[in-house]
Amino acid sequence: MEAIKQNLIDKLSVEQIKIELMRTAFGRQSTFLSRFDPRMLIVWYSFFAIAPWFIHNKFILLGLLVPIVALTLSSKVSPLVLIIMGVGLVSEISYILLGSLLFGGSLASFWPLMTLTLKILLISLASIAVFSSMDPEKLSDALLSLGMPAQFSFGVSYGYRMLPILIEEYHNIIHSFRLRGRSPQRKGIFGWRSLIYLATISVRAFYPLILNTAKRTRTTVEALEVRGFTYSLVSPDAKKLKLAYLRIRPLDFVFLGCSLCYMIVLAVAGQYLSL
């Protein structure tokens, strides 16, 4: 029992949470979706991010959910991310049910309200499956290849690369506050004084974080300008060299073709089956 408890504490530690978030943000290279060209993945994801809003047949939505769940599991998504999404989904279903009962509805009105929840779940899982299988560099280059402005593509990559630095900096600032401050000697019932203390320093840590981030950003901009970053944004030769490794292979067309055939079969079946 003690071993299980210690294992649970280790998994819920701040450091472990940081590691899991980094793994999700920076992608995994050994997943099923990571084999495909990032441009094709963005096009494939765009369909699943837009189409569910225009589909009201629950049979089709559930049919789309099945392969998305399989792809999400194959992407080796962090359990922490799935738990957070599951908590949000359960809370949403709970307040929909509660609102339906409080305003004179019945359990019969709960089922139609679940359509929106199903759409959100489908889009969320598709987002997790695709973006957890691409590293920031591939995502940035795919956006640039699809015609997005170079500044925007670089901003996406830079934001990903700044994420671990910001988390580490924020963690260090909170440690500084705790070392120099004084925690409540009496925790109170359920430790409410300690919770208020931690919440206070968590908010106060944002101000030095913003200042330190501004300093790091200025240093980064100066380093990029020295290396000719502005010229590389407008140079066709630099863009061609940067995107030379991107290749759309027959395997990508097979994946798109299988997805399209599945959608056609699902749409035809949805004409006869409706939930």
Side-chain angles (χ1 to χ4, degrees):
M1 190 67 180
E2 289 295 329
I4 297 176
K5 182 180 179 180
Q6 186 62 37
N7 188 25
L8 182 61
I9 292 175
D10 292 339
K11 289 183 178 180
L12 294 178
S13 65
V14 176
E15 193 65 30
Q16 186 64 29
I17 291 174
K18 285 165 53 180
I19 293 174
E20 293 296 334
L21 291 177
M22 291 304 102
R23 287 176 179 173
T24 302
F26 284 84
R28 298 173 184 265
Q29 302 303 313
S30 59
T31 63
F32 175 74
L33 291 178
S34 64
R35 306 174 184 176
F36 304 109
D37 187 84
R39 295 169 293 181
M40 188 277 298
L41 288 179
I42 291 178
V43 173
W44 182 84
Y45 165 73
S46 298
F47 171 80
F48 286 94
I50 299 173
W53 298 112
F54 301 96
I55 300 175
H56 305 287
N57 190 322
K58 292 186 181 64
F59 176 81
I60 297 179
L61 292 174
L62 289 173
L64 290 175
L65 186 62
V66 173
I68 293 299
V69 170
L71 290 174
T72 303
L73 294 177
S74 69
S75 298
K76 303 176 183 178
V77 180
S78 169
L80 175 65
V81 176
L82 296 179
I83 289 174
I84 293 175
M85 189 184 69
V87 170
L89 185 65
V90 171
S91 61
E92 181 182 357
I93 294 175
S94 300
Y95 79 72
I96 288 177
L97 177 60
L98 183 61
S100 175
L101 296 177
L102 288 178
F103 289 97
S106 61
L107 293 178
S109 63
F110 174 71
W111 180 242
L113 293 174
M114 284 297 297
T115 304
L116 177 62
T117 302
L118 189 58
K119 293 179 180 180
I120 294 175
L121 176 62
L122 180 60
I123 296 172
S124 301
L125 289 177
S127 304
I128 294 174
V130 170
F131 292 109
S132 64
S133 300
M134 283 193 293
D135 60 72
E137 193 67 26
K138 285 187 177 181
L139 177 58
S140 174
D141 292 343
L143 293 175
L144 183 62
S145 178
L146 292 174
M148 298 298 294
Q151 291 85 348
F152 177 81
S153 301
F154 171 76
V156 171
S157 177
Y158 183 71
Y160 270 98
R161 296 187 184 281
M162 282 294 292
L163 183 61
I165 299 175
L166 291 177
I167 293 178
E168 188 67 30
E169 186 73 23
Y170 184 68
H171 197 192
N172 292 337
I173 293 172
I174 289 181
H175 282 320
S176 300
F177 272 109
R178 296 184 66 182
L179 287 172
R180 298 174 183 176
R182 181 181 179 184
S183 60
Q185 295 181 353
R186 302 175 64 181
K187 296 183 179 181
I189 301 176
F190 301 113
W192 67 271
R193 289 191 177 91
S194 298
L195 292 177
I196 293 177
Y197 171 73
L198 291 175
T200 302
I201 64 175
S202 298
V203 174
R204 289 180 177 177
F206 275 103
Y207 298 100
L209 176 65
I210 294 173
L211 178 61
N212 293 343
T213 303
K215 293 180 180 179
R216 290 177 181 272
T217 303
R218 181 176 178 178
T219 303
T220 304
V221 170
E222 292 174 351
L224 289 172
E225 290 301 326
V226 169
R227 299 179 181 181
F229 171 72
T230 302
Y231 174 76
S232 66
L233 295 179
V234 296
S235 173
D237 294 333
K239 179 179 178 181
K240 183 179 179 180
L241 182 63
K242 180 179 178 61
L243 304 179
Y245 73 96
L246 293 177
R247 292 285 187 276
I248 296 181
R249 299 170 298 170
L251 184 63
D252 299 316
F253 291 107
V254 171
F255 180 70
L256 284 180
C258 292
S259 301
L260 181 60
C261 292
Y262 181 79
M263 278 299 307
I264 294 174
V265 172
L266 197 60
V268 173
Q271 299 295 324
Y272 302 96
L273 299 174
S274 180
L275 296 178

